[in-house]
Amino acid sequence: MTVDDGVASRESAKGTDAEEPTDGTTDEATTGGRGGVERAEPTRRAVLAATSGAVGALGLGSATATARAGAVSVQRSSTDEGVETPTEWLMNGFDLRNTRFPRNTTAPTGTIEELWSFDVSVDHVNGGTYKNGRVEYAPPIIADGKVLVGDGSLRSDRNYLHAIDKDSGEHVWRKPMPEMNTAPAVGEGRVFAAGNASFVVGIDLETGKEQWKWGTGDIVRSSPKYHDGSVYVGCDDDTFYALDPEEGFSQWEFDVSDDASGLRMYGSPAVRDGVVYVSTWGPEGEPSFVYGLDADDGDEVWKQSLGFGIGGAAPPAVGEEYLFVPNAARGRMEAYDMDSGRNLVWRKQDFEFAPWNGPAVADCRVFVGSQGGHVTAMDVETGEWAWRSDTRAPVEMPVMVANGTVYAVDEQGWLYGFAVQGGGKRFEYEIGGRASTTPRAVDGDLFVTSNKDVQRLTGDTESFSIGPVCEAKEATTTPTTTTETAEPTEASTVAPTATATEDESDAGETTTSGSGGSPGFGLAAGASALAAAAGVALRRARREDDTE
């Protein structure tokens, strides 16, 4: 562990490499951009509302959403908890825990259409098409009315962090950057961005001016995360950093080279209760690890080895009770007790994870996409499969959950919406070209990236909820309490024949299996879920009693 005052490593903030911000009035007809909301003709991408059958049975949420007709108006939905649809998405993973679950959010569930598209191959300042732009592994961040996204190309001198007007899709400012394969983060009025030129930079959110630059020892593949006066980020130099957000100096550094050589850190860390959870990805023959680090000083709280082999851990997510880790080295999902980090609660086989395949956590379910070309839903307490639904191509980025729907994008550029309950396909929509992105649900719409552009998508909305899936219903007989085991029984991965089945939900609607497989989602799984939900409620009650 080393602490550095930043004098030697931190470069002075000259602000000379940031272009002057523009007023966003560039003539998009001249530059080839497609900014603006109103369209005389439909978008070139066909709207595909191919559903696998009726996909109700989720129960209505407490707020009623109306169908969108293309207007970019902020639409909020309130609930009993008073939580509104977010107008910002400030960090990769949505929140500190990487849940990727904006609770009670209104989001499109069908008839998807494009509101605007921002092409990174177009020079939105000088005009013309000037490079073969590329947006990879860098989902957008939304803050202060701006959409922030980094790009990369073979022309390293023409890569930028772009700030785009959230409502109109027009250029606001751009900051020259190296190739970016990470999402930035926002905090204290600054944008914290990293790229493949071995530095992290602090940028003024309003103007795009550079305020500081911190030099690292290698490429940064980790998306920065801001929390409580620190910017956390991992690097290929075997070091995890905590940087000062105001001046950019190092607050502390954690060196992982004593455990293995060549470890990489992808995605973003998770933070909860003063602990930063960091995953690593090892080369062939080297071990990989997940670390729990003290957020204040970087001391190791605990360490968990994931085994040897090619791969390691994709970015973890933190639930109410457990830490969820996609273990690519072993091809399985794992849940750990966060108190020690060493107690394996459950593990589930049959996954092919890419380095970015972090999970999403929504109450009683954990969801993950994988290179096998599917999205899987599991019970957070037992790991039992709720369903598995197929995609056309591998899913190499995290999924996102909103409005009772799981949103995923595959490598071929198809956006999917799967019902939280049952996994039925609500819609699929071609965003165009290759894509490696996680959708963002903001202002009732979806923000996504393809390989060359950023898009804002709207669509019809119905109000759904994850509540009916997770709420324990009164049983006619008392269920037998199940014991958590390290290796729960595997259910078949083969999706059942697409036949309509009555779903026993409060809504009393009919769902069709379609591509949404339901391995183990029957009476036995229902009893297991009921017992698990009761267990969660009991533990929460005990914690509340302990704190009184």
Side-chain angles (χ1 to χ4, degrees):
M1 182 70 57
T2 59
V3 179
D4 187 79
D5 62 4
V7 175
S9 298
R10 179 164 55 90
E11 300 181 27
S12 61
K14 298 182 174 57
T16 57
D17 57 348
E19 297 192 14
E20 290 294 331
T22 70
D23 59 4
T25 57
T26 303
D27 186 353
E28 302 292 24
T30 302
T31 63
R34 290 179 287 172
V37 175
E38 297 183 359
R39 294 178 178 275
E41 297 180 0
T43 176
R44 65 178 177 82
R45 300 185 180 94
V47 176
L48 298 178
T51 59
S52 299
V55 286
L58 290 177
L60 293 177
S62 56
T64 301
T66 57
R68 302 294 296 272
V72 184
S73 59
V74 175
Q75 180 175 347
R76 298 188 177 98
S77 61
S78 61
T79 69
D80 294 338
E81 297 180 1
V83 181
E84 295 183 333
T85 292
T87 59
E88 297 185 313
W89 191 296
L90 301 179
M91 64 188 76
N92 200 24
F94 177 68
D95 52 21
L96 292 172
R97 293 162 51 192
N98 283 347
T99 67
R100 300 177 177 88
F101 175 43
R103 188 180 297 276
N104 305 316
T105 293
T106 299
T109 55
T111 58
I112 308 299
E113 65 176 331
E114 179 187 291
L115 285 177
W116 56 254
S117 177
F118 183 94
D119 191 339
V120 298
S121 298
V122 170
D123 189 334
H124 293 268
V125 174
N126 303 309
T129 300
Y130 67 106
K131 67 174 184 178
N132 182 17
R134 185 177 65 200
V135 181
E136 285 189 311
Y137 315 116
I141 295 297
I142 298 94
D144 191 34
K146 303 176 185 66
V147 179
L148 305 164
V149 68
D151 73 344
S153 73
L154 297 178
R155 291 291 304 273
S156 60
D157 60 330
R158 291 187 175 181
N159 297 326
Y160 298 97
L161 172 67
H162 301 272
I164 308 162
D165 185 272
K166 181 180 69 173
D167 292 334
S168 68
E170 295 177 348
H171 166 84
V172 178
W173 54 256
R174 67 187 187 187
K175 165 72 174 66
M177 286 286 291
E179 179 183 15
M180 290 183 64
N181 297 133
T182 64
V186 173
E188 298 188 10
R190 296 181 181 88
V191 184
F192 308 108
N196 289 356
S198 306
F199 62 76
V200 182
V201 62
I203 301 165
D204 184 86
L205 175 60
E206 182 64 27
T207 66
K209 291 290 188 180
E210 180 180 303
Q211 296 183 331
W212 55 260
K213 181 185 292 184
W214 170 263
T216 63
D218 209 328
I219 292 172
V220 179
R221 307 175 196 269
S222 169
S223 296
K225 179 150 287 186
Y226 168 80
H227 173 56
D228 195 24
S230 295
V231 179
Y232 301 106
V233 63
C235 179
D236 280 8
D237 63 359
D238 293 328
T239 307
F240 187 82
Y241 296 90
L243 304 178
D244 179 84
E246 185 175 350
E247 299 184 37
F249 60 82
S250 175
Q251 296 173 332
W252 54 258
E253 301 174 12
F254 182 81
D255 188 348
V256 301
S257 61
D258 288 342
D259 295 320
S261 60
L263 291 180
R264 294 180 174 181
M265 304 176 203
Y266 293 89
S268 58
V271 184
R272 185 175 182 181
D273 296 336
V275 178
V276 184
Y277 298 94
V278 181
S279 61
T280 62
W281 191 274
E284 185 176 3
E286 293 284 347
S288 53
F289 300 86
V290 176
Y291 298 89
L293 307 179
D294 187 287
D296 291 331
D297 56 22
D299 286 345
E300 183 181 299
V301 178
W302 57 260
K303 174 176 64 180
Q304 174 62 46
S305 174
L306 301 178
F308 291 80
I310 300 176
V318 178
E320 291 295 325
E321 301 282 339
Y322 308 133
L323 178 72
F324 301 102
V325 179
N327 185 343
R330 299 293 179 86
R332 64 194 187 197
M333 272 293 298
E334 299 175 340
Y336 291 92
D337 182 346
M338 287 185 295
D339 291 337
S340 68
R342 299 190 62 83
N343 294 334
L344 180 65
V345 180
W346 57 258
R347 61 186 177 218
K348 207 68 175 173
Q349 297 288 151
D350 195 24
F351 291 94
E352 301 173 46
F353 291 125
W356 292 271
N357 273 135
V361 183
D363 292 338
C364 66
R365 292 282 185 264
V366 56
F367 306 89
V368 67
S370 75
Q371 291 286 87
H374 45 245
V375 175
T376 305
M378 291 156 284
D379 185 274
V380 297
E381 291 291 310
T382 66
E384 289 298 323
W385 283 358
W387 50 262
R388 170 170 279 185
S389 295
D390 294 331
T391 57
R392 283 178 167 81
V395 178
E396 59 182 349
M397 294 290 285
V399 300
M400 183 270 292
V401 183
N403 195 15
T405 304
V406 183
Y407 298 90
V409 174
D410 69 18
E411 287 184 358
Q412 291 183 3
W414 286 88
L415 167 67
Y416 304 86
F418 298 109
V420 162
Q421 180 158 311
K425 190 186 297 177
R426 289 209 165 102
F427 70 84
E428 56 184 24
Y429 175 82
E430 188 176 17
I431 62 178
R434 188 182 186 279
S436 49
T437 187
T438 297
R440 314 305 204 188
V442 173
D443 283 353
D445 291 330
L446 296 175
F447 293 80
V448 299
T449 61
S450 75
N451 198 39
K452 71 180 188 67
D453 62 10
V454 186
Q455 302 172 29
R456 180 172 183 170
L457 306 176
T458 191
D460 293 338
T461 61
E462 259 187 274
S463 185
F464 296 101
S465 173
I466 194 173
V469 179
C470 298
E471 292 171 1
K473 297 185 175 69
E474 184 177 353
T476 55
T477 59
T478 303
T480 303
T481 302
T482 57
T483 302
E484 293 175 348
T485 60
E487 294 189 66
T489 302
E490 294 286 347
S492 171
T493 61
V494 179
T497 304
T499 56
T501 57
E502 291 296 329
D503 184 88
E504 298 177 357
S505 70
D506 294 337
E509 299 179 49
T510 303
T511 61
T512 303
S513 298
S515 64
S518 313
F521 199 73
L523 293 177
S528 175
L530 181 61
V536 172
L538 179 60
R539 279 191 292 276
R540 289 177 179 171
R542 287 174 177 169
R543 288 203 307 271
E544 292 172 359
D545 290 341
D546 293 339
T547 58
E548 291 179 355

